[in-house]
Amino acid sequence: TTSSTSATSSTKTSTTYTGSTKTTTTTPMMFKLSGACQYKDFLNGLTFREEGTTVSGARYFKALEADQYLYHDVDCDGGSNGVKRWIIDSDMPDPSVTEDLDRDNKCKYHARLDTANSTDLPSAGTWQVWCGLGWVDTVLHLDNTGIWPHMDGQHESTVLELQGHFSKHECSQQEALNSLQFELQGTTAGGFPWYKAKTAEQYIYYDLSCSGAAGTPARWVIDEDAPNVSAIADLDGDRNCSYHARVKTTDGTSPPKGAMWRVQCDTSWTDMWLALFRLPVTTTTKTKTTSSSTTKTANMNMMVSSATGLPHGLAVLGLG
């Protein structure tokens, strides 16, 4: 298996060979925006995901948490003599038109980056941002660090064993979760790993918004409902944050080794320390003349950071 990230295509491509069969999977790029001025602070922390391409061939993106968009427009007011630019806007672009993609006949948006290059987005570029009283040169960062999980082998064949203080006398409703072993199943559409218990219909997965609504903090979830791995948010599809337990965090690379989870215990929610022990991985290698068994135990280095609600309100757009 080979994997690479291309600045030209802004996608992560994984190619797998099974015998003579070649399978290529392309995952849309996601990045987190930061650096906007206080007037546009609601843009900071938004995670933009590639949605597709416009008729001109340029990519366009939508924030997962709010109706905010990033796209390339050859002429923002449709005058056919404008400046080509990347735009951050609250209006959805129409990918079927060649110019004035938000169809307002105006150059009205949050921010712009003037460039004819519709292929590459700089990870740090100087944008013109409408900051209330005028346009301000602002360095915006588009960072995919922490968005792609580290699928370099650290998750392969991983089994996590759940340990909590569930008993008949304390949180009896969740007693069946004790000592369940969760096995890695793959990754969701967002690029995050998900797990299923070996002996029960119980799952651990990362959800960017458990209700599907903007502003809901991301979290790891323990749930009896299987996640829809093709969805970006509300993976159990119930439009509600209903599950056994959750821990809010912006780190979706792996569940926390140990953390204070919010657990549904009988008739109320309770804070409870849960541990997820990574079990040793056993690999057996055989040859024609000898066979050997090798046991590898990897240390689990996982960090949990406190999650904050991502601002998602709209502010007055700038004209420029």
Side-chain angles (χ1 to χ4, degrees):
T1 302
T2 60
S3 178
S4 63
T5 302
S6 169
T8 301
S9 64
S10 292
T11 56
K12 190 177 184 73
T13 302
S14 175
T15 303
T16 304
Y17 295 89
T18 304
S20 61
T21 302
K22 176 182 175 181
T23 303
T24 301
T25 303
T26 301
T27 305
M29 182 185 179
M30 295 195 296
F31 53 80
K32 195 176 289 290
L33 186 149
S34 63
C37 59
Q38 186 174 1
Y39 192 75
K40 297 294 184 183
D41 184 59
F42 60 88
L43 295 174
N44 289 320
L46 291 182
T47 300
F48 286 82
R49 179 182 186 267
E50 186 178 351
E51 292 289 294
T53 57
T54 65
V55 71
S56 67
R59 303 167 326 284
Y60 67 98
F61 304 80
K62 181 188 181 298
L64 299 178
E65 307 89 347
D67 289 329
Q68 301 293 343
Y69 303 87
L70 194 155
Y71 56 90
H72 191 266
D73 203 331
V74 299
D75 193 311
C76 54
D77 64 2
S80 299
N81 58 355
V83 178
K84 299 177 175 67
R85 58 189 51 164
W86 284 99
I87 287 171
I88 301 172
D89 196 354
S90 60
D91 293 328
M92 180 187 302
D94 181 348
S96 68
V97 299
T98 57
E99 58 186 34
D100 187 21
L101 269 63
D102 63 358
R103 292 180 173 272
D104 64 355
N105 296 315
K106 294 184 252 185
C107 293
K108 184 179 179 182
Y109 36 69
H110 301 306
R112 69 172 185 262
L113 176 66
D114 293 344
T115 176
N117 186 347
S118 63
T119 303
D120 300 318
L121 268 169
S123 58
T126 301
W127 293 64
Q128 284 274 302
V129 181
W130 180 258
C131 292
L133 297 178
W135 294 97
V136 178
D137 286 338
T138 307
V139 176
L140 296 184
H141 297 272
L142 305 176
D143 184 16
N144 67 0
T145 303
I147 299 296
W148 300 120
H150 306 297
M151 298 304 289
D152 53 4
Q154 78 169 32
H155 291 303
E156 293 180 9
S157 302
T158 296
V159 177
L160 306 177
E161 183 173 284
L162 175 65
Q163 293 291 340
H165 298 291
F166 309 121
S167 68
K168 289 185 169 126
H169 305 291
E170 185 177 1
C171 204
S172 60
Q173 179 181 345
Q174 309 299 355
E175 189 177 1
L177 295 177
N178 264 335
S179 301
L180 279 183
Q181 292 182 3
F182 290 81
E183 195 167 32
L184 179 70
Q185 302 297 303
T187 55
T188 64
F192 306 110
W194 66 285
Y195 304 78
K196 180 187 180 299
K198 288 182 174 181
T199 58
E201 295 296 321
Q202 301 293 344
Y203 304 86
I204 297 176
Y205 57 88
Y206 189 72
D207 205 329
L208 289 168
S209 174
C210 54
S211 67
T216 303
R219 63 197 67 191
W220 282 99
V221 168
I222 302 173
D223 196 355
E224 64 185 16
D225 294 326
N228 177 3
V229 296
S230 65
I232 288 295
D234 187 20
L235 270 62
D236 62 0
D238 64 357
R239 298 180 178 270
N240 192 19
C241 295
S242 177
Y243 36 67
H244 300 308
R246 56 90 170 148
V247 58
K248 294 179 182 177
T249 173
T250 56
D251 185 359
T253 58
S254 195
K257 181 178 180 181
M260 192 68 74
W261 290 63
R262 194 75 171 160
V263 183
Q264 177 68 43
C265 288
D266 303 319
T267 59
S268 63
W269 288 93
T270 302
D271 290 328
M272 181 174 289
W273 184 268
L274 300 183
L276 288 165
F277 295 101
R278 185 172 182 176
L279 301 184
V281 178
T282 300
T283 304
T284 301
T285 305
K286 292 184 179 180
T287 65
K288 290 182 179 179
T289 56
T290 61
S291 63
S292 62
S293 179
T294 304
T295 301
K296 303 183 295 181
T297 303
N299 291 327
M300 195 176 193
N301 297 318
M302 293 179 286
M303 182 181 299
V304 178
S305 58
S306 297
T308 57
L310 297 174
H312 60 281
L314 299 181
V316 177
L317 301 180
L319 290 168

